[in-house]
DNA sequence: GTCCGGCTGG
DNA sequence: CCAGCTGGAC
């Protein structure tokens, strides 16, 4: 049976249950995490966020008025610290000037327009924009990451290949519920960390029966 | 395609 | 020791 998104979500949910994922005490903290975790393990992001807390640098206002050098020192454990410090500051300044420092006000208005707005900021690409929309603001905007691409590739689920193509494919199959999107993306990450890593661990994989790559390999 | 990067786990 | 990390900009 060819794998569909619907079937994939059912199999992963059965295997891993609910994840209740993306940590963060406030929406702004979730956004900071989304920027810091770019191509970086969450463990290192936790250190960086912990440093920001100790330095009282976890609000748009505080970051907007902080010095880049101060930010760099705090977020150094999360890697790419020079660009991420600049990007954090420009995001904080954007929240200050556009939303009066209130992240919650970002929820108003059209999702597509807000997405474009986020994409126009430095250091905010498609995945980070969608992570912010989904996990910080609760908007139904599906997140596509390298794990998602790898998994679809192994399962040989046909798709256009571009970010927006994959995003739309998931959104068509999953309805318009933000919680469903969040859960699905989380399940994909958990699954790929467990099994669908670069050199796959197919023993015990809940998708093996439906995975063309597994069947090829077994020959 | 290449660069950015400290840190973790094997 | 070194491969890889829930990417993005150029």
């Amino acid at each position: 049976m060819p794998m569909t998104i619907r079937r994939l979500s059912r199999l992963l949910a059965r295997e891993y249950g609910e994840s209740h994922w993306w940590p963060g005490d406030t929406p702004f903290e979730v956004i900071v995490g989304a920027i810091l975790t770019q191509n970086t393990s969450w463990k290192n992001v936790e250190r960086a966020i912990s440093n920001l807390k100790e330095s009282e640098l976890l609000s748009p206002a505080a970051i907007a008025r902080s010095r880049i050098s101060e930010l760099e020192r705090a977020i150094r454990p999360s890697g790419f610290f020079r660009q991420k410090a600049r990007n954090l500051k420009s995001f904080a300044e954007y929240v200050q000037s556009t939303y009066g420092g209130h992240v919650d006000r970002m929820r108003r208005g059209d999702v597509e327009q807000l997405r474009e707005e986020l994409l126009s900021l430095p250091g905010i690409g498609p995945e980070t924009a969608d992570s912010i929309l989904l996990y910080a603001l609760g908007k139904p905007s599906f997140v596509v990451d390298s794990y998602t691409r790898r998994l679809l590739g192994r399962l040989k689920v046909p798709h256009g290949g571009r970010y927006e193509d994959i995003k739309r494919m998931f959104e068509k199959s999953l309805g318009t519920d933000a919680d469903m999107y969040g859960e699905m993306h989380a399940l994909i990450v958990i699954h790929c960390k467990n099994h669908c890593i670069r050199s796959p661990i197919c023993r015990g994989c809940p998708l093996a029966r439906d995975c063309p790559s597994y069947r090829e390999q077994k020959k």
Side-chain angles (χ1 to χ4, degrees):
Chain A
M1 189 192 310
M3 183 63 86
T4 62
I5 302 301
R6 204 63 83 67
R7 176 164 175 75
L8 177 62
S9 86
R10 222 169 339 103
L11 289 171
L12 291 181
R14 182 193 299 169
E15 174 74 11
Y16 303 108
E18 297 195 10
S19 64
H20 298 291
W21 204 38
W22 207 299
D25 297 341
T26 66
F28 185 68
E29 190 177 320
V30 173
I31 292 170
V32 171
I35 293 173
L36 294 184
T37 199
Q38 290 166 2
N39 209 37
T40 301
S41 70
W42 187 256
K43 200 118 197 171
N44 293 341
V45 175
E46 284 179 327
R47 292 168 169 270
I49 289 182
S50 165
N51 289 345
L52 287 173
K53 277 184 181 167
E54 283 180 22
S55 306
E56 310 266 335
L57 283 175
L58 215 42
S59 72
I63 291 183
R65 68 175 117 81
S66 70
R67 298 182 190 198
I68 295 287
S69 59
E70 188 182 7
L71 280 176
E72 287 180 349
R73 215 177 316 127
I75 70 170
R76 194 171 176 121
S78 70
F80 303 111
F81 58 93
R82 293 188 186 89
Q83 33 190 16
K84 284 176 181 175
R86 269 185 285 124
N87 297 338
L88 271 186
K89 180 150 187 183
S90 72
F91 183 86
E93 287 166 349
Y94 153 76
V95 176
Q96 288 296 94
S97 59
T98 311
Y99 297 99
H102 299 277
V103 172
D104 290 336
R105 290 182 192 168
M106 296 175 70
R107 283 185 230 270
R108 301 176 199 169
D110 180 57
V111 190
E112 281 311 309
Q113 201 237 309
L114 178 55
R115 188 170 191 270
E116 290 308 309
E117 208 171 286
L118 291 171
L119 287 175
S120 74
L121 299 172
I124 310 286
E127 184 184 339
T128 308
D130 289 327
S131 297
I132 291 171
L133 289 169
L134 183 57
Y135 291 108
L137 304 179
K139 299 287 191 183
S141 196
F142 194 80
V143 179
V144 178
D145 63 359
S146 53
Y147 284 143
T148 311
R149 292 171 180 277
R150 181 194 293 157
L151 183 59
L152 294 181
R154 292 238 165 93
L155 294 171
K156 301 202 188 309
V157 176
H159 58 83
R162 291 198 312 273
Y163 185 99
E164 309 294 335
D165 295 332
I166 299 173
K167 173 181 167 66
R168 261 184 249 112
M169 178 175 70
F170 274 91
E171 293 183 347
K172 271 191 175 178
S173 307
L174 297 177
T176 55
D177 181 40
D179 289 332
M180 171 62 85
Y181 289 4
E183 189 62 18
M184 183 65 186
H185 174 66
L187 288 171
I188 289 173
V189 173
I190 292 169
H191 173 70
C192 287
K193 288 173 97 76
N194 282 327
H195 291 286
C196 218
I197 55 184
R198 182 191 281 274
S199 114
I201 301 171
C202 300
R203 181 183 296 273
C205 176
L207 308 179
R209 202 160 50 87
D210 308 79
C211 184
S213 303
Y214 173 69
R215 286 201 294 270
E216 275 174 35
Q217 169 204 325
K218 249 181 36 172
K219 283 177 190 169

